[in-house]
Amino acid sequence: MATNDQKLLTFSLGEEGYGVSILKVKEIIGMLEITPVPKTPEFIKGVINLRGKIIPIMDLRIKFGMEQQQYDERTCIIVVEIDFKGVQKLLGVVVDMVSEVVTVSDDQIEPPPEYGKTAEHNFILGIGKIKERVVIILDIEEVFSCEEVLKMLENNSQTIKE
Amino acid sequence: MFNGFSKSQIGFRIILSILFVELISLASGVIMGLNIKSPTIIAACLLTIIISQLIAWFISENVKKSVRNVLSELAETSENLGSLSNELTVTGRKLADGSTEQAASIQETSSTLEESSSMIHQTTQNTKEAEILAKQTKQSADNGNVEMQTMLEAMEELKKSSTEISKIIRVIDEIAFQTNILSLNAAVEAARAGDAGKGFAVVAEEVRNLAQRSAQAAKDTAGIIESNISLSEKCLDISNQVSKSLEGINNDTHKVSELLEEISTASQEQEIGINQINKAISQMEHVLQGNALTAQESASSAEHLNTYSNTLKKIKEELTYLVDGGKEVEKRIIPTISREVEVKKEIKSQKLEVKIKPEIKSVPKVEEVKPKTEVKQKVEPIKLKTEEIKPKVEEVKKVKAEEVKSKAEEVKSKTEEAVEPKAEIKPEKEETKVEEKPKTEEAEKPKLELKPQIQPKPVVKKPLPKDTDKSVRPEDIIPLDDF
């Protein structure tokens, strides 16, 4: 039974609740000063300096094609670890609000809708039913598996290596 | 007596003419030297007698004519005098009645004025109290204004402190948020630690719960503080309005105070005015009492005047008798004399009544007197009148009535004594006539002055009572109008 349970960090974008596996999450931080990086796609807001580490920041709202919103005191950055060519890379994701850490069992998760699979990048792992709410469980590696991000991550890792 | 006198008058005239003829015959005898025979003398004497008688008759006729003219004038004058005195009597009565009514209304007015005076006094007192109250109200409004100002300051302070609290609450909320994130991080770390981090995960969960509770509390407090701030703002507005209202009250009470002061002074002046009016009214009352008395007196004077006019008529009758002779005239004279006595009694009784009863309330007396004058005017039988009068006089005072009687007797006795020549009557009549007018003028003066005016009456009566010896029955009375 225990193996079937997994922990999710839930957050919200607008009215919708999303969840991401807690094992992918490195850290949650409040909003910091973002340094914009030129010649990058719109959803890449820039980079931040988190305790000496340069972390690229993505805006999930823009990535999901939602209306952009002014950042406030509730806006958070979730730092996630992404496996990039066998190397763990850090990536900051801007979300409206971080909610909580929930434990969900497999029977609480429904498979994603059929049309989701037809999408170019299938980033929805399933739909979680937590209490009365619906949480969309994201595969965060899939979300940022696009070329621009990968390129940026490659550059970033090169700089780190140097 | 009159009859005898008139007969002797004729005899006297005959004797005089005989004597006159004798004288002429003597004179002719002397002239002729006694040469003429006695038959001639006798014839001459007879002729002379006849001539002299004729002359005497002519002279007497002429005298009678002129006397008759004078008599007719006299009758007219006495008639006028009578009607005038009657008018005067009526007018005097009316005047007395009017002044009595006036006195009554003045007394009513006086009492009304006293009432209103007391009312005004009350008003003055009330106004003074109201003034004091208005001043107190003003003081209270001032105090209220000052206290309101203090309250406004306190409200301002409250608002400031609320804002401060709001800031602090925001800080607490921030801390709660941070704590929440920290707890989430702890949960992440615990999850990464696997089984070893399970206990830590519970702690992280508890911390997160605390953070959320403090966040909720901060939120609630923030809401309360927000409502506090809005309420204190409302309070500030209301306090400002109250302050303005108090200012208005202050101004109004100031005005009220001023008005009340004016009312107070005005009512005080009114009180003084009313007191003056009261004094004036009491003076008027005195004057009216005097007026009533004077009117009474003038009425009685008018009655005297009536008496005098009657006297005048009697004199006229006497004269007519003297001129014409005849028994009818005699009969007419007697009743008038006894009437005079009656009038005197009436006058005396009136005086007594006036003295006994209060001055102003003399209206009923005037009414009692009225029938008497009516009786006079109608000229009813003497006996009836005297009977009517006697009880009245007795009611007033028997002693006075006796005095009146004795006086009447005195008058009678005096008239008996005074058998004076005819020639002397005329001047007396003229005197009385002359005296009458000044009396009526003097009648307006106080009572005491009336007495000397009344005294001349017996003098007037002296010539008249010549006939009083002869008793006259009521049936013999002939109305004076027959003249």
Side-chain angles (χ1 to χ4, degrees):
Chain A
M1 284 297 283
T3 48
N4 289 335
D5 286 352
Q6 54 172 312
K7 286 197 168 182
L8 298 174
L9 175 70
T10 59
F11 58 91
S12 61
L13 284 176
E15 296 298 313
E16 297 88 53
Y18 296 89
V20 66
S21 174
I22 202 161
L23 296 172
K24 299 281 180 189
V25 176
K26 177 74 180 165
E27 178 176 7
I28 302 148
I29 53 167
M31 186 49 84
L32 294 174
E33 198 189 335
I34 298 166
T35 311
V37 178
K39 284 194 167 184
T40 50
E42 202 187 355
F43 67 89
I44 296 167
K45 299 300 287 182
V47 290
I48 56 160
N49 183 356
L50 179 66
R51 290 185 295 271
K53 283 181 182 175
I54 298 299
I55 299 165
I57 301 296
M58 317 287 164
D59 194 324
L60 204 58
R61 268 181 169 267
I62 300 164
K63 182 65 186 167
F64 286 170
M66 290 165 81
E67 198 187 330
Q68 211 172 340
Q69 208 177 32
Q70 195 69 37
Y71 300 153
D72 57 18
E73 68 261 30
R74 297 283 164 193
T75 311
C76 284
I77 297 166
I78 300 168
V79 180
V80 290
E81 264 182 331
I82 290 167
D83 183 59
F84 178 70
K85 294 170 183 173
V87 183
Q88 296 295 313
K89 293 280 180 187
L90 291 176
L91 193 73
V93 179
V94 177
V95 297
D96 283 4
M97 200 173 78
V98 177
S99 301
E100 59 187 327
V101 176
V102 289
T103 308
V104 287
S105 51
D106 286 343
D107 58 315
Q108 280 180 294
I109 299 165
E110 298 275 329
E114 283 298 311
Y115 58 82
K117 283 178 179 171
T118 58
E120 196 186 344
H121 301 291
N122 189 5
F123 52 85
I124 296 173
L125 290 172
I127 307 292
K129 299 174 285 180
I130 301 154
K131 292 161 196 173
E132 296 299 309
R133 287 181 292 121
V134 172
V135 175
I136 299 158
I137 301 162
L138 298 173
D139 185 351
I140 202 76
E141 283 176 333
E142 279 299 315
V143 171
F144 298 108
S145 63
C146 54
E147 247 177 72
E148 295 97 332
V149 178
L150 293 173
K151 213 176 184 178
M152 195 178 179
L153 284 172
E154 201 172 353
N155 292 341
N156 204 12
S157 61
Q158 278 174 1
T159 51
I160 290 162
K161 276 177 187 173
E162 285 166 5
Chain B
M1 197 183 155
F2 266 107
N3 227 3
F5 182 75
S6 60
K7 279 173 187 172
S8 69
Q9 197 182 14
I10 294 158
F12 180 68
R13 204 186 285 175
I14 292 159
I15 291 158
L16 254 178
S17 53
I18 289 164
L19 278 169
F20 183 66
V21 167
E22 286 302 316
L23 264 170
I24 289 166
S25 63
L26 266 169
S28 61
V30 169
I31 291 159
M32 291 191 178
L34 299 166
N35 289 336
I36 302 153
K37 288 176 182 177
S38 56
T40 334
I41 292 163
I42 291 158
C45 282
L46 280 170
L47 194 75
T48 340
I49 287 162
I50 290 157
I51 288 161
S52 64
Q53 279 299 313
L54 277 169
I55 289 161
W57 185 77
F58 270 115
I59 289 162
S60 71
E61 277 304 305
N62 282 337
V63 168
K64 270 182 186 175
K65 260 187 186 177
S66 56
V67 167
R68 275 197 198 100
N69 286 339
V70 171
L71 276 175
S72 66
E73 276 177 40
L74 203 63
E76 206 178 316
T77 314
S78 67
E79 205 65 43
N80 289 344
L81 207 62
S83 61
L84 198 72
S85 66
N86 281 339
E87 275 175 37
L88 269 174
T89 312
V90 172
T91 316
R93 292 269 150 71
K94 277 182 186 173
L95 207 65
D97 288 356
S99 45
T100 311
E101 275 176 40
Q102 223 173 344
S105 57
I106 275 180
Q107 269 184 335
E108 273 178 40
T109 315
S110 180
S111 61
T112 314
L113 272 173
E114 264 164 47
E115 272 177 42
S116 53
S117 175
S118 64
M119 292 278 279
I120 282 168
H121 189 72
Q122 189 67 38
T123 312
T124 314
Q125 291 300 109
N126 290 347
T127 319
K128 274 176 187 167
E129 276 176 38
E131 215 181 305
I132 291 160
L133 283 174
K135 273 174 187 168
Q136 283 177 354
T137 313
K138 202 193 159 191
Q139 191 61 42
S140 301
D142 278 337
N143 290 347
N145 222 353
V146 171
E147 279 158 18
M148 210 64 213
Q149 219 61 42
T150 319
M151 202 181 90
L152 277 177
E153 282 165 21
M155 285 281 174
E156 207 71 47
E157 287 295 313
L158 196 72
K159 202 186 163 188
K160 272 184 189 171
S161 59
S162 295
T163 318
E164 290 295 316
I165 289 165
S166 180
K167 278 178 190 171
I168 290 160
I169 293 291
R170 207 165 287 173
V171 170
I172 289 164
D173 191 47
E174 187 68 27
I175 289 162
F177 176 69
Q178 295 291 345
T179 314
N180 190 33
I181 288 170
L182 269 177
S183 74
L184 287 173
N185 280 326
V188 168
E189 288 301 330
R192 279 171 173 275
D195 285 345
K198 269 186 182 172
F200 189 66
V202 175
V203 174
E205 183 62 27
E206 285 307 310
V207 170
R208 194 189 153 272
N209 284 342
L210 278 174
Q212 282 207 321
R213 275 172 63 188
S214 53
Q216 191 58 45
K219 213 177 176 181
D220 293 348
T221 315
I224 291 163
I225 291 291
E226 278 306 311
S227 69
N228 267 11
I229 287 167
S230 68
L231 278 174
S232 60
E233 271 170 5
K234 266 190 193 173
C235 277
L236 270 175
D237 286 349
I238 291 162
S239 304
N240 276 326
Q241 284 176 0
V242 170
S243 185
K244 277 179 188 172
S245 303
L246 280 171
E247 202 107 343
I249 289 167
N250 208 342
N251 289 338
D252 289 350
T253 43
H254 188 70
K255 277 179 194 169
V256 167
S257 186
E258 280 178 352
L259 284 173
L260 281 171
E261 217 158 309
E262 278 176 35
I263 290 167
S264 182
T265 50
S267 51
Q268 269 170 349
E269 278 171 30
Q270 230 174 342
E271 214 179 319
I272 292 161
I274 289 254
N275 282 342
Q276 282 175 345
I277 291 168
N278 253 339
K279 277 179 192 171
I281 288 262
S282 61
Q283 279 177 351
M284 273 165 82
E285 225 174 299
H286 281 296
V287 172
L288 258 180
Q289 283 175 3
N291 275 1
L293 265 184
T294 313
Q296 209 103 30
E297 281 161 18
S298 69
S300 62
S301 298
E303 271 159 27
H304 293 324
L305 205 66
N306 210 1
T307 319
Y308 294 138
S309 85
N310 286 340
T311 314
L312 213 63
K313 278 172 189 170
K314 275 175 255 161
I315 290 160
K316 187 248 167 188
E317 277 173 46
E318 269 178 55
L319 269 173
T320 316
Y321 169 75
L322 286 176
V323 173
D324 296 331
K327 289 173 186 176
E328 282 186 31
V329 183
E330 286 174 37
K331 287 168 190 171
R332 284 174 198 169
I333 294 160
I334 297 148
T336 46
I337 290 156
S338 44
R339 270 194 74 217
E340 207 176 321
V341 174
E342 176 208 317
V343 168
K344 236 194 154 185
K345 283 176 187 175
E346 279 185 69
I347 290 156
K348 287 211 170 178
S349 67
Q350 274 180 27
K351 278 184 181 177
L352 285 167
E353 278 174 327
V354 171
K355 281 173 189 173
I356 293 156
K357 290 179 185 176
E359 289 165 328
I360 294 172
K361 296 172 181 176
S362 58
V363 186
K365 291 162 219 163
V366 178
E367 284 169 355
E368 282 176 44
V369 178
K370 273 177 182 175
K372 291 173 193 171
T373 51
E374 283 169 8
V375 170
K376 277 179 221 164
Q377 286 165 352
K378 287 170 186 174
V379 193
E380 285 173 10
I382 303 156
K383 281 182 181 178
L384 287 170
K385 282 181 189 174
T386 45
E387 279 169 8
E388 281 175 7
I389 294 152
K390 273 179 184 175
K392 284 174 189 173
V393 175
E394 282 168 1
E395 277 170 18
V396 178
K397 254 181 189 179
K398 284 180 181 178
V399 184
K400 294 273 174 180
E402 282 169 8
E403 281 177 17
V404 172
K405 279 176 186 175
S406 64
K407 277 188 180 178
E409 282 169 5
E410 279 176 24
V411 171
K412 279 179 186 175
S413 62
K414 279 179 185 175
T415 48
E416 282 172 2
E417 287 168 15
V419 182
E420 290 168 24
K422 301 159 202 170
E424 285 178 68
I425 297 161
K426 282 178 184 176
E428 278 178 9
K429 285 170 198 167
E430 283 168 5
E431 278 174 21
T432 51
K433 277 180 191 174
V434 174
E435 281 175 341
E436 275 167 26
K437 284 182 182 178
K439 276 173 205 166
T440 48
E441 285 170 359
E442 286 168 5
E444 288 169 6
K445 289 173 188 174
K447 279 185 214 168
L448 293 168
E449 289 176 42
L450 279 172
K451 283 179 181 175
Q453 289 168 6
I454 298 156
Q455 281 171 346
K457 277 181 202 166
V459 183
V460 180
K461 283 163 194 170
K462 278 174 189 173
L464 302 170
K466 287 168 190 171
D467 305 64
T468 44
D469 287 7
K470 294 174 180 178
S471 58
V472 179
R473 280 162 253 153
E475 305 95 66
D476 295 333
I477 299 156
I478 295 157
L480 294 166
D481 297 354
D482 287 14
F483 290 99

